[in-house]
Every structure is written in structure tokens, then in C-alpha cells.
Amino acid sequence: MQISLLQCQSSRDVKANLAFVDSQLKDLPRDANEPQLVVLPECCLLFGGHESQQLEFAGSQHQSDLKNALAAMAKQYQVYFIAGTIPMRADDGRVFSRCYFFDDHGITLGHYDKLHLFDVEVSDGTKTYRESDTFHPGDHITIVDTPFGKVGLAICYDIRFGDMFRALRLAGADYIALPSAFTKVTGEAHWQVLLQARAIETQCYLLGAGQWGQHNQGSRETWGHSMIVDPWGRVIAERATECGWVQAKVDLTELRRIRQQMPVIGHNRFIAPQLK
């Protein structure tokens, strides 16, 4: 199977972001005979929009223009599609940061709402991040069963919470996709080491698709360095800067070998908390 991560420089212009994703999928380097898993970054269609804009484009249980557009792309380009994140309305007036997973016919296989919200102080131009002002946290983990293995879903800040990744592994994950928009400051310090640590701990492929560069006239800057990390912690593909594809061909033979030779899940004597 081929895995393709798209590194983006998304903005508040939803139409422009949609057009960019579509143009990249049109030119996706691929073997027509191989299954293709595509992962978009966090906030792929709306990056940095204030609360009112998030609500303007937020979908509901019954209708989402952004979801429909992404599902149509999955069908048109015949890819399994982890479609970054889009806003979906919550009952309290906020929105969920939701990641949808579509099959190559555009059918929804599952979705995940970001559990851990980025309420932190960072030494950059933005300084204070308060995702919880706009976003409502999710309440469950998600594993999607596919013809090429089981895929766990996580989003950006989730990667700092090892218990969640252990729960994904215990639920059967072979791959863990991580649509992200790490800040330049936190990304430079922690992005790669966290991806490698989670891959080693879970013995899964980690698929970190990131945003990169200056967004919205420089009001935000993200780290990029989208990468695919194998279950031994090796970076097997990376794009440090600029927009475009990060690709690698993988199968589960190596994963099974590593888990057989070092069965850490069976050796662990601590019980991880289970998310309901």
C-alpha cells in the first residue's frame, strides 16, 4: 500500500484551500494498481478562522458542505482519505474539530473528534492559544478497519498524551494518523521526537501530516516536517518545508515481525485507562 501525506499552507479562504487539495490529488504520484491512503493536515480547509467563521462553515449531523466536498474528492480520485479536520457543530454553541475517514467510493468509514484541546502559552507571535474557546472536546477514540489494516485516528496535540496512543494500540491499531498544525516553536522542539516515541511505544506506523509556513499574512507559523515513521521509530519519508506530498510504500510484514520479536504489549504490567 502507498501512504501519501499532503503538507499544506492553509488559510481562512475555504475555496482556495479546497482548490489546492483538489489540484494536489489530481497530480498525486501513484500506481493505479495499489491501494492509496491519503492523509490531510489539521485545519486543511479553514486555518485560523475566528469563532464566527468556524461556526459559519460548521456542518451539522444532517448537512456539511465541507464533508460532502471531501467525500466527493475521495470518490473522484479513488483514494482512502483521512480528510484532516473540519468544524462540526456541538450542542453548546462551539464546534468539534472532526476528522473524517472516507473509503475510495466516498463512503464514511468513521470519524474522530479531537480529544485534547490546545490551551497553552507559546513563545511565538500568537503567544496564547485557547482552542477550548471555540472547540468542544471529543469523548472517544476511533479505530477504522480497512482492507490494509486497522487505522487509529488522533489530531495534533493528542500526541502528547501517551495513554491515548496505548489505548489505540490496545484497540487494534496498525497505523495511527495524526493530522496536525504544530506551531513552529513547539514543532521544532518536540514534533519528531514525539512521533518517534509514539511509534516505538505502540509499534504502529505514525502518519504525521502537517501544516507548514506562514498563514494568513503571517499571523500564524507552523512547523511542517510531515513524516511517516515506522514501528521501529525510523523516519521513512519526510517533507521538511514547502507544500506537497510525502510518500512511502508500506506493508504489515515489518510491523508483525517487530511485534513478534519484542511483544511489549504482553509484557506491560500496568493497566492503561480505557476511554469509553
Side-chain angles (χ1 to χ4, degrees), residues 18-39:
L18 275 167
F20 173 74
V21 174
D22 184 74
S23 70
Q24 294 298 300
L25 286 168
K26 188 176 298 182
D27 295 330
L28 174 65
R30 63 185 300 181
D31 183 336
N33 297 319
E34 285 184 331
Q36 181 79 210
L37 174 63
V38 170
V39 187

Side-chain angles (χ1 to χ4, degrees), residues 151-170:
V151 183
L153 302 179
I155 299 169
C156 201
Y157 190 48
D158 286 334
I159 198 158
R160 295 184 182 273
F161 301 90
D163 286 343
M164 175 180 171
F165 283 72
R166 175 163 163 76
L168 289 169
R169 168 65 198 280
L170 290 172

Side-chain angles (χ1 to χ4, degrees), residues 49-51 54 94-95 114 116-122 126-136 157 183 220:
H50 296 297
E51 183 175 4
Q54 294 288 341
R94 293 182 292 175
V95 298
K114 188 175 184 180
H116 300 100
L117 301 180
F118 193 58
D119 289 356
V120 305
E121 304 291 326
V122 177
T126 301
K127 299 188 184 303
T128 300
Y129 294 82
R130 290 280 305 173
E131 284 189 342
S132 64
D133 289 346
T134 302
F135 294 97
H136 185 96
Y157 190 48
T183 71
R220 290 279 298 273

Side-chain angles (χ1 to χ4, degrees), residues 107-237:
I107 296 170
T108 303
L109 298 178
H111 74 266
Y112 165 69
D113 296 327
K114 188 175 184 180
L115 273 167
H116 300 100
L117 301 180
F118 193 58
D119 289 356
V120 305
E121 304 291 326
V122 177
S123 299
D124 65 5
T126 301
K127 299 188 184 303
T128 300
Y129 294 82
R130 290 280 305 173
E131 284 189 342
S132 64
D133 289 346
T134 302
F135 294 97
H136 185 96
D139 61 6
H140 66 274
I141 62 171
T142 298
I143 298 284
V144 177
D145 203 355
T146 75
F148 44 83
K150 293 186 177 182
V151 183
L153 302 179
I155 299 169
C156 201
Y157 190 48
D158 286 334
I159 198 158
R160 295 184 182 273
F161 301 90
D163 286 343
M164 175 180 171
F165 283 72
R166 175 163 163 76
L168 289 169
R169 168 65 198 280
L170 290 172
D174 301 306
Y175 315 84
I176 300 175
L178 189 80
S180 297
F182 255 60
T183 71
K184 184 176 186 295
V185 171
T186 58
E188 187 173 17
H190 298 146
W191 169 249
Q192 181 169 331
V193 69
L194 284 169
L195 281 169
Q196 290 179 295
R198 298 292 91 87
I200 293 165
E201 291 165 355
T202 62
Q203 298 175 317
C204 290
Y205 285 96
L206 262 288
L207 318 178
Q211 294 278 356
W212 167 81
Q214 300 277 350
H215 305 265
N216 302 315
Q217 291 76 53
S219 62
R220 290 279 298 273
E221 186 173 8
T222 51
W223 177 237
H225 291 77
S226 299
M227 63 181 67
I228 300 169
V229 183
D230 80 3
W232 194 244
R234 294 169 292 214
V235 178
I236 59 175

Side-chain angles (χ1 to χ4, degrees), residues 86-91 94-98 113 134-138:
I86 59 173
M88 299 292 289
R89 289 184 181 271
D91 291 338
R94 293 182 292 175
V95 298
F96 292 107
S97 180
R98 181 167 294 176
D113 296 327
T134 302
F135 294 97
H136 185 96

